[in-house]
Amino acid sequence: MSSGNPLTVLRGMLIIIPWALHLVLMDLICSLLLPLSYYFPDTVYNISSLVAYTNWNWIQCIFEVFNGGVITMSGDVVPQGESAIVVSNHVSWTDFYMIQALAIRAGMLGRCRWFAKIELRKVPLLGWGIWAMGMPMVSRQWTKDKRELDRVFAGITVRKWPTWLISFSEATRYTPKKAEAAREWCRANKRPIPKHLLYPRTKGFVTTVQHLRKAKHVKAVYDMTIAYEHNHRFLEAPTIWESLSCAGLSGKRGYKFHVHLRRFPLEDLPDSEADLAKWLETRWVEKGEYLEEKRDEWARAA
């Protein structure tokens, strides 16, 4: 049954509407908390984390329980309750399911904070709620974003908020066209070309590490690698509508979902900007090799 089938559409609407109404309520609560964040920042952070947990856990339940998305995991064990910097490749709008699955295991789902586009701040309820939750809202021009980053990082470094600070280091979703452009850029700039990936943008990562290594409770960098397969087509992911409306995602629909985690103690990372940028570049090359191995593994199992 296709995702556009009337019965699938009806099923999807019946599943999504209650969750969407809860999302609006969540954003309303967080928006109302925004004026209080100046006076009671810790309380607002904790309440918004709890409210976010209820909504994010709900959508994860839709994906895994209602719609049969089976996420396989490999790599290092996620420590319970550990604050960390999270970097990941970016394939699809549905990537967050894989990251959230690991966050649930670590007891950190409500503490996830994602880099968001600054334009969202102008969106009533949604943007205000994101801001109240302590999400970094950036333009990707890191020199211009200094004030916003100082605001977010202060909550983590000074107030010691437990956090997974998550970014997609490629800054955009992977497509064959973007991959070809990235390969051309790498060749022109004598950079290694990671397989199945775009070249990572290092400035945001460097800035984040340099700030958050001051926070003693932020212990590690988690390097997550996300992979998909659909009917033997590697890195083909479902649309967000499919993920919310279609049953049997990992059954009759033939999708595979995988996330691989590598944990790197923050104290082991280099100090200088150049060395941190090189560190991330090296991780991306290794990530590409892992994806190549995963593609071959799935092909052999077909």
Side-chain angles (χ1 to χ4, degrees):
M1 190 178 295
S2 72
S3 59
N5 181 283
L7 290 178
T8 302
V9 172
L10 177 60
R11 180 183 185 275
M13 296 303 292
L14 290 174
I15 290 173
I16 293 170
I17 287 174
W19 171 81
L21 291 173
H22 184 272
L23 176 63
V24 172
L25 178 61
M26 180 188 85
D27 287 331
L28 177 60
I29 292 171
C30 290
S31 297
L32 293 174
L33 289 172
L34 184 57
L36 300 177
S37 62
Y38 182 80
Y39 302 100
F40 310 104
D42 295 344
T43 300
V44 169
Y45 183 80
N46 289 327
I47 292 174
S48 63
S49 294
L50 177 61
V51 172
Y53 170 85
T54 62
N55 192 265
W56 296 343
N57 191 59
W58 189 342
I59 197 173
Q60 196 73 19
C61 182
I62 291 172
F63 176 74
E64 294 191 46
V65 180
F66 291 0
N67 294 337
V70 177
I71 300 171
T72 56
M73 305 174 189
S74 61
D76 297 331
V77 175
V78 189
Q80 278 289 311
E82 181 177 69
S83 291
I85 299 164
V86 179
V87 295
S88 175
N89 61 314
H90 196 10
V91 183
S92 163
W93 285 105
T94 55
D95 293 346
F96 71 90
Y97 292 120
M98 268 59 77
I99 296 174
Q100 287 194 162
L102 287 171
I104 289 170
R105 285 194 170 193
M108 293 294 285
L109 179 61
R111 305 298 190 175
C112 289
R113 297 297 184 267
W114 306 71
F115 280 92
K117 293 182 178 180
I118 197 167
E119 291 81 5
L120 288 175
R121 186 181 293 181
K122 300 176 183 178
V123 179
L125 295 183
L126 176 61
W128 304 338
I130 289 173
W131 194 16
M133 288 178 62
M135 301 272 193
M137 306 185 77
V138 296
S139 65
R140 295 291 182 183
Q141 298 180 37
W142 294 100
T143 53
K144 294 183 179 180
D145 292 330
K146 184 179 184 304
R147 185 175 179 181
E148 170 67 5
L149 293 174
D150 287 345
R151 176 187 74 87
V152 173
F153 293 147
I156 302 172
T157 58
V158 178
R159 311 203 69 87
K160 298 180 173 57
W161 290 342
T163 304
W164 273 22
L165 189 57
I166 305 164
S167 65
F168 294 112
S169 295
E170 295 154 315
T172 187
R173 294 184 302 281
Y174 178 93
T175 66
K177 184 177 180 180
K178 292 174 185 176
E180 180 55 36
R183 285 191 288 269
E184 290 179 4
W185 183 90
C186 288
R187 284 190 287 265
N189 291 274
K190 296 182 172 56
R191 300 290 189 185
I193 303 173
K195 299 175 182 177
H196 309 292
L197 298 163
L198 307 179
Y199 188 83
R201 299 188 182 184
T202 59
K203 186 65 175 178
F205 173 76
V206 170
T207 302
T208 301
V209 170
Q210 288 180 331
H211 277 77
L212 294 194
R213 72 190 337 160
K214 302 171 188 175
K216 300 301 182 184
H217 69 293
V218 180
K219 300 295 186 182
V221 173
Y222 296 166
D223 175 22
M224 297 187 186
T225 303
I226 292 169
Y228 300 86
E229 187 185 77
H230 181 225
N231 294 333
H232 314 306
R233 293 187 291 272
F234 190 58
L235 294 186
E236 182 173 300
T239 64
I240 192 67
W241 169 249
E242 281 183 280
S243 77
L244 291 170
S245 65
C246 296
L249 288 171
S250 293
K252 61 184 179 181
R253 292 190 179 274
Y255 283 105
K256 294 180 180 178
F257 307 94
H258 186 78
V259 57
H260 181 72
L261 171 72
R262 299 177 72 192
R263 179 186 180 276
F264 296 91
L266 197 53
E267 62 187 9
D268 292 347
L269 268 66
D271 294 322
S272 72
E273 288 189 18
D275 288 342
L276 282 170
K278 182 65 177 178
W279 185 93
L280 186 66
E281 178 187 86
T282 301
R283 299 290 80 74
W284 241 249
V285 172
E286 294 169 351
K287 187 190 296 285
E289 294 297 331
Y290 175 81
L291 285 170
E292 182 79 357
E293 292 172 5
K294 194 66 185 176
R295 185 191 67 172
D296 293 344
E297 175 192 326
W298 278 342
R300 289 193 300 270

